[in-house]
């Protein structure tokens, strides 16, 4: 059985923040180090693979990718600051091995750009370790002609090639130690040597999930060539061996290489990482720290185009993007409203990465202001979900404005950069309203909003995919969550316009008030004082109905702080609603009431399970907006306690943060894992940094 760990190293030369040149920007692979390539987008890829002992006769098809749908293989980012340091543990009971990976990036003036170390902590059976370097072809418009040069000396293995400009050489120095002794690299007798080096040329593109293809290439092709774009280094380890493989990358020739004190340096950086975390978040809570590390481990850099229902300019154009991902192996691609939640954490620790992510997202906007809600911008990312096509009629909640507000309020040095994308933000705002707002027969905005969806009961754009929007033959006329996000969007555009475009403030304020007035007059059910979706019978406007379904959708007026503080009766009724047996559990708040006809129906995705992001919004609003209202503080403390206990206890016992949690008695984590996305909001909940 073969397990593959990829390290992606992209070679670039362009004008951008040099501190972000190297990073672990390929989270969909078990281990990755990537250099953001803003020039040719053709990466040099370094791959670490490990496998059970294989016989020497036929290796052509003897491999197996780890089954990440089980919880057997544990991937734990022990430390990760999102920039220049991370340590990860990979525990595999099938190969009876534990491998530690350590990535350290050095300052620009250093001789070395980074060192990537793979260390075996446990080997209980014979284990094959592979390190593979290959020059990939990501950019179909810029065919790659570079090849590798390999030189083996007594000091180690040097693999070199030109950079993408072919102006200087890039070197990868590889050293191996076994049980604290340097390996003798020049031993050529394969009967006694544990090391084999293969060089070959492959003409296929690696970015279609390269792992099985790469293994086939290595084991089925035994031809060595001097014009290689793939170098495979294989080391055969025995039980009890302590093997360390170090890959040092530099664009300078250095005769001596290898770090004897890397563990000491790593320990020092780990202490600094923990210190900085506590300084920012005010806590050294283990669960909060682990959650943050998981989020940082999900940071991705990608480049390419999109598959869309209608091939708009943003679909056909090849564009770069730096973004966090919801789940490294379940959703290894950028999601719009998820990223707003991700950045609520990232902005506090790494505001530069946060703003770069926001800029990249905004720069994927089409000429008419549409931002696709999912962006798998490469064939590799699309291979996880080949049927996905983005639809320009579909929008997503504009959560990015949590981030813009934080950056402007806390980092005024970024006001100028944000100002440079203000017009694009206004274009996004206009497109969002064109597609989600309701207009009268004269084309005037009615004050109401409704999510567009491919059918009446499917709302991927809302973010709450299968939450019920119909009742029998009655369908949605207006959606309370769309109404709430429409107010939120307009409110934040007003704040930006006061800085960058004062002339439009009055019109935006009028629209904002209209949305709020319609919400209060027509969407608040007087029978229970809960804001609701409005339904009607198709082809008739004679009568409207409040939706009978209650759950997360109804919480947005509260969670976004839209309810007037003077309406104590509404706030307290919301507390009673969430506290009721149909919504409340000891693990958190259900996404849909148990007495709904749709409870746990459809995909049982947003129709019952407990999700972190919506409850985070509730906790945030209660703490920031409604703290002095009777009953709020006790409810806040109870809900916060339940969320922390549920998420952190599952992490402690099972080793993962999960997509959502079971509402039925046990609170077990469910769905994709590791869910390094908005479940990481538990960091802010623990720290009470809203």
């Amino acid at each position: 059985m073969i397990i593959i760990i990829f390290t992606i190293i992209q070679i670039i030369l362009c004008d951008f923040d040099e501190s972000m040149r190297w990073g672990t920007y390929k989270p969909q692979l078990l281990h990755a180090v990537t250099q953001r390539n803003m020039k040719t987008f053709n990466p040099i890829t370094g791959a670490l693979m490990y496998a059970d002992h294989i016989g020497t006769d036929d290796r052509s098809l003897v491999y197996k990718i780890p089954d990440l749908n089980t919880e057997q293989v544990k991937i734990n980012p022990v430390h990760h600051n999102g920039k220049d340091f991370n340590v990860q543990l990979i525990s595999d009971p099938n190969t009876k091995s534990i491998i530690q990976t350590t990535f350290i990036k050095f300052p620009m003036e250093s001789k070395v750009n980074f060192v990537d170390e793979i260390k075996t902590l446990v080997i209980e059976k014979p284990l094959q370790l592979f390190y593979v370097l290959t020059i990939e072809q990501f950019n179909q418009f810029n065919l790659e002609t570079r090849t590798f040069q390999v030189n083996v000396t007594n000091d180690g293995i040097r693999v070199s090639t030109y950079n993408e400009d072919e102006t200087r050489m890039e070197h990868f120095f590889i050293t191996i130690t076994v049980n604290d002794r340097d390996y003798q690299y020049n031993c050529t007798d394969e009967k006694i040597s544990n090391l084999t080096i293969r060089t070959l040329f492959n003409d296929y593109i690696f970015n279609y999930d390269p792992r099985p293809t790469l293994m086939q290439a290595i084991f089925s092709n035994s031809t060595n060539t001097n014009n290689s774009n793939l170098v495979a280094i294989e080391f055969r380890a025995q039980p009890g061996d302590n093997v360390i493989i170090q890959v040092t990358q530099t664009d300078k020739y250095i005769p001596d290489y290898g770090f004897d004190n890397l563990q000491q340096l790593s320990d020092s950086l780990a202490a600094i990482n923990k210190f900085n975390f506590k300084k920012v978040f005010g806590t050294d809570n283990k669960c909060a720290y682990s959650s943050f590390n998981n989020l940082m481990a999900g940071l991705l850099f990608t480049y390419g185009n999109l598959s869309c229902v209608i091939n708009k300019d943003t679909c056909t154009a090849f564009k770069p993007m730096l973004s966090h991902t919801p789940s490294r192996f379940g959703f290894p691609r950028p999601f719009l409203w998820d990223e707003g939640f991700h950045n609520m954490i990232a902005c506090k620790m790494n505001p530069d990465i946060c703003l770069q992510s926001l800029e990249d997202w905004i720069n994927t906007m089409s000429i008419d202001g549409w931002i696709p809600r999912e962006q798998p911008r490469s064939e590799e990312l699309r291979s996880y979900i080949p049927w996905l096509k983005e639809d320009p009629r579909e929008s997503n909640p504009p959560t990015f404005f949590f981030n813009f507000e934080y950056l402007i309020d806390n980092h005024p040095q970024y006001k100028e950069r944000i100002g440079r994308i203000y017009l694009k933000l206004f274009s996004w705002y206009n497109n969002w309203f064109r597609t989600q707002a309701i207009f009268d027969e004269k084309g005037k905005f009615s004050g109401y909003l409704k999510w567009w969806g491919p059918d009446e009961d499917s709302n991927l754009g809302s973010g709450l995919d299968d939450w019920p929007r119909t009742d029998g033959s009655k369908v949605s006329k207006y959606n309370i969550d769309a109404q709430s996000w429409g107010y939120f969007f307009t409110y934040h555009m007003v704040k930006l316009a006061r800085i960058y475009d004062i002339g439009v403030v009055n019109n935006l304020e009028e629209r904002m008030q209209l949305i709020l007035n319609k919400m209060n007059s027509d969407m608040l059910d007087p029978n229970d004082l809960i804001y609701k979706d409005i339904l009607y019978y198709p082809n008739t406007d004679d009568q409207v109905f409040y939706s009978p379904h209650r759950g997360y959708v109804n919480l947005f007026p509260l969670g976004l702080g839209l309810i007037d503080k003077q309406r104590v009766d509404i706030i307290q009724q919301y507390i009673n609603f969430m506290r009721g047996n149909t919504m409340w559990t000891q693990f958190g708040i259900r996404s849909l009431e148990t007495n709904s006809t749709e409870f746990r129906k459809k995909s049982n995705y947003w129709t019952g399970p407990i999700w972190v992001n919506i409850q985070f919004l509730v906790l945030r609003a209660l703490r920031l907006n409604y703290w002095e209202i009777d009953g709020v503080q006790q409810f806040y403390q109870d809900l916060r306690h339940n969320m922390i206990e549920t998420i952190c206890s599952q992490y402690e016992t099972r080793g993962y943060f999960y997509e959502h949690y079971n509402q039925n008695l046990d609170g077990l984590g469910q769905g994709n894992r590791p869910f390094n996305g908005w479940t990481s909001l538990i960091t802010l909940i623990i720290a009470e940094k809203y």
Side-chain angles (χ1 to χ4, degrees):
M1 180 180 62
I2 290 182
I3 307 298
I4 300 175
I5 308 170
F6 267 76
T7 305
I8 302 302
I9 307 158
Q10 293 187 332
I11 308 302
I12 70 173
L13 183 63
C14 57
D15 183 20
F16 68 99
D17 188 344
E18 291 289 340
S19 70
M20 299 182 195
R21 178 179 291 273
W22 294 99
T24 56
Y25 299 141
K26 201 156 187 177
Q28 68 270 29
L29 304 172
L30 290 178
H31 176 64
V33 177
T34 305
Q35 185 181 26
R36 292 170 62 221
N37 186 337
M38 302 294 288
K39 189 172 183 65
T40 70
F41 300 97
N42 292 326
I44 295 178
T45 301
L48 172 71
M49 305 176 288
Y50 64 91
D52 280 334
H53 179 73
I54 306 172
T56 57
D57 294 333
D58 181 11
R59 304 182 181 188
S60 59
L61 296 176
V62 186
Y63 67 89
K64 188 179 188 299
I65 304 305
D67 183 3
L68 298 175
N69 292 318
T70 72
E71 294 188 7
Q72 289 185 319
V73 180
K74 302 292 185 184
I75 302 103
N76 179 24
V78 181
H79 308 287
H80 205 310
N81 67 4
K83 285 188 171 183
D84 52 25
F85 172 63
N86 76 74
V87 177
Q88 178 178 245
L89 287 179
I90 303 168
S91 303
D92 189 341
N94 299 308
T95 58
K96 296 185 177 181
S97 64
I98 299 176
I99 297 175
Q100 175 181 284
T101 65
T102 301
F103 167 72
I104 298 175
K105 183 168 61 178
F106 295 90
M108 290 173 53
E109 61 273 13
S110 302
K111 289 184 177 181
V112 171
N113 292 324
F114 73 79
V115 60
D116 188 25
E117 180 182 86
I118 295 88
K119 179 190 294 187
T120 61
L121 302 183
V122 174
I123 300 178
E124 295 184 2
K125 55 192 294 190
L127 189 71
Q128 314 289 110
L129 295 169
F130 302 86
Y131 200 89
V132 180
L133 285 165
T134 184
I135 302 173
E136 300 196 56
Q137 182 70 61
F138 273 30
N139 187 351
Q140 60 181 311
F141 303 109
N142 192 336
L143 296 178
E144 191 61 66
T145 59
R146 291 177 294 164
T147 57
F148 283 127
Q149 300 172 18
V150 180
N151 184 28
V152 181
T153 71
N154 289 329
D155 297 316
I157 305 161
R158 186 176 77 245
V159 180
S160 306
T161 187
Y162 280 106
N163 68 342
E164 69 280 5
D165 283 336
E166 299 191 3
T167 58
R168 68 179 189 274
M169 296 296 288
E170 300 279 357
H171 303 286
F172 300 86
F173 297 103
I174 301 167
T175 61
I176 303 172
T177 62
V178 184
N179 302 324
D180 298 323
R181 298 181 62 183
D182 293 338
Y183 187 74
Q184 299 301 309
Y185 305 95
N186 282 319
C187 179
T188 58
D189 187 344
E190 289 199 11
K191 293 182 179 180
I192 61 174
S193 173
N194 289 337
L195 179 68
T196 302
I197 300 174
R198 296 180 178 85
T199 59
L200 54 120
F201 189 87
N202 282 277
D203 58 1
Y204 53 83
I205 297 174
F206 282 121
N207 60 344
Y208 290 81
D209 190 3
R211 293 168 288 178
T213 310
L214 182 57
M215 289 304 301
Q216 288 176 335
I218 294 170
F219 290 134
S220 63
N221 192 334
S222 59
T223 303
N224 285 349
T225 175
N226 292 326
N227 296 316
S228 66
N229 63 2
L230 188 150
V231 177
I233 299 163
E234 174 187 354
F235 187 83
R236 293 171 287 279
Q238 300 303 314
D241 280 351
N242 177 20
V243 180
I244 298 176
I245 300 174
Q246 283 188 3
V247 182
T248 304
Q249 199 281 336
T250 179
D251 54 13
K252 306 173 181 67
Y253 178 77
I254 50 177
D256 298 319
Y257 42 90
F259 291 81
D260 294 332
N261 61 341
L262 194 68
Q263 186 61 55
Q264 181 180 350
L265 176 59
S266 177
D267 291 342
S268 298
L269 292 173
I272 294 171
N273 201 47
K274 289 182 176 180
F275 175 83
N276 290 336
F277 177 84
K278 186 174 183 179
K279 181 179 179 181
V280 170
F281 294 103
T283 180
D284 56 4
N285 178 276
K286 179 182 177 181
C287 180
Y289 182 69
S290 297
S291 171
F292 173 80
N293 293 331
N294 270 267
L295 175 66
M296 292 298 103
L299 187 63
L300 172 141
F301 177 72
T302 186
Y303 169 79
N305 60 356
L306 292 174
S307 179
C308 299
V309 173
I310 302 171
N311 278 328
K312 299 174 76 69
D313 55 304
T314 187
C315 303
T316 56
F318 280 66
K319 296 186 177 184
M321 174 175 281
L322 181 73
S323 178
H324 303 85
T325 55
S327 176
R328 291 174 59 183
F329 310 121
F331 295 121
R333 57 190 180 275
F335 282 70
L336 195 156
W337 86 306
D338 299 60
E339 184 66 357
F341 286 114
H342 303 158
N343 275 331
M344 292 182 80
I345 308 163
C347 282
K348 291 178 171 58
M349 179 67 84
N350 298 318
D352 49 351
I353 290 179
C354 170
L355 182 53
Q356 184 64 61
S357 166
L358 293 169
E359 288 174 333
D360 283 2
W361 269 98
I362 299 304
N363 287 331
T364 66
M365 182 185 300
S366 68
I367 194 170
D368 61 354
W370 172 58
I371 303 179
R373 67 178 187 87
E374 290 186 51
Q375 300 217 20
R377 285 191 173 272
S378 74
E379 293 292 347
E380 179 183 5
L381 297 184
R382 284 195 291 276
S383 71
Y384 290 79
I385 186 167
W387 51 265
L388 178 68
K389 290 184 179 294
E390 296 303 304
D391 195 313
R393 295 168 292 182
E394 213 163 43
S395 291
N396 229 191
T399 53
F400 291 167
F401 286 89
F402 288 123
N403 315 143
F404 286 121
E405 180 180 51
Y406 176 84
L407 290 172
I408 288 174
D409 290 348
N410 294 276
H411 297 278
Q413 70 271 25
Y414 292 136
K415 280 187 178 180
E416 182 180 350
R417 278 179 67 180
I418 295 173
R420 290 200 292 266
I421 60 174
Y422 167 77
L423 291 179
K424 286 191 173 184
L425 294 175
F426 205 89
S427 179
W428 180 29
Y429 173 80
N430 286 332
N431 179 277
W432 198 93
F433 269 80
R434 280 197 305 271
T435 55
Q436 311 306 310
I438 306 296
F439 296 88
D440 63 22
E441 62 276 4
K442 296 181 180 180
K444 184 179 180 180
F445 175 49
S446 66
Y448 300 107
L449 293 104
K450 173 184 181 295
W451 296 111
W452 180 89
D455 57 63
E456 288 294 343
D457 215 19
S458 176
N459 273 278
L460 295 177
S462 72
L464 308 181
D465 306 8
D466 63 344
W467 206 90
R469 302 287 182 168
T470 62
D471 180 36
S473 57
K474 294 190 287 290
V475 300
S476 287
K477 189 176 183 68
Y478 317 126
N479 294 142
I480 186 57
D481 51 336
Q483 193 82 5
S484 302
W485 285 115
Y487 179 92
F488 173 90
F489 207 162
T490 309
Y491 170 82
H492 284 281
M493 286 306 302
V494 168
K495 292 190 68 174
L496 290 180
R498 286 178 179 148
I499 302 172
Y500 305 112
D501 192 12
I502 194 68
V504 301
V505 168
N506 287 341
N507 288 338
L508 288 172
E509 287 181 333
E510 289 177 5
R511 173 178 282 189
M512 183 171 67
Q513 193 59 49
L514 176 62
I515 295 170
L516 190 62
N517 290 343
K518 294 293 186 181
M519 188 185 82
N520 286 325
S521 63
D522 298 338
M523 305 182 80
L524 179 65
D525 188 341
N527 295 313
D528 58 8
L529 295 182
I530 301 296
Y531 292 93
K532 296 177 180 177
D533 277 3
I534 301 299
L535 308 182
Y536 76 114
Y537 288 106
N539 304 317
T540 175
D541 290 323
D542 295 339
Q543 188 176 9
V544 295
F545 308 85
Y546 294 109
S547 172
H549 309 297
R550 301 196 309 176
Y552 282 175
V553 160
N554 311 89
L555 301 183
F556 283 98
L558 175 72
L560 295 177
L562 276 58
I563 302 175
D564 190 336
K565 296 177 184 178
Q566 303 304 314
R567 290 301 306 267
V568 175
D569 55 339
I570 297 177
I571 303 300
Q572 290 181 335
Q573 184 58 27
Y574 262 86
I575 297 296
N576 294 335
F577 163 54
M578 292 184 289
R579 215 31 130 170
N581 291 334
T582 58
M583 286 288 286
W584 184 263
T585 79
Q586 68 186 85
F587 313 108
I589 299 172
R590 295 182 177 98
S591 47
L592 185 64
E593 280 189 301
T594 56
N595 58 5
S596 169
T597 57
E598 298 300 317
F599 178 65
R600 299 184 66 187
K601 298 292 181 60
K602 302 178 183 177
S603 301
N604 191 26
Y605 202 47
W606 291 91
T607 59
I610 296 164
W611 294 75
V612 177
N613 60 326
I614 307 302
Q615 292 171 96
F616 168 81
L617 290 178
V618 170
L619 290 170
R620 179 179 185 272
L622 294 178
R623 190 67 183 87
L624 299 181
N625 300 311
Y626 307 113
W627 193 241
E628 300 305 322
I629 295 176
D630 187 42
V632 164
Q633 295 184 25
Q634 187 60 55
F635 179 84
Y636 169 91
Q637 297 295 350
D638 292 345
L639 179 58
R640 176 174 174 270
H641 173 268
N642 288 355
M643 292 304 300
I644 293 172
E645 285 296 310
T646 298
I647 295 166
C648 295
S649 65
Q650 286 292 288
Y651 176 73
E652 286 293 328
T653 58
R654 298 170 68 189
Y656 283 116
F657 295 98
Y658 290 84
E659 184 178 7
H660 49 77
Y661 294 81
N662 187 0
Q663 54 77 36
N664 186 27
L665 300 179
D666 56 18
L668 291 178
Q670 298 175 322
N672 286 292
R673 65 189 178 286
F675 200 80
N676 41 275
W678 59 40
T679 298
S680 298
L681 290 167
I682 196 63
T683 295
L684 301 183
I685 293 173
I686 292 171
E688 296 187 273
K689 297 285 187 180
Y690 300 117

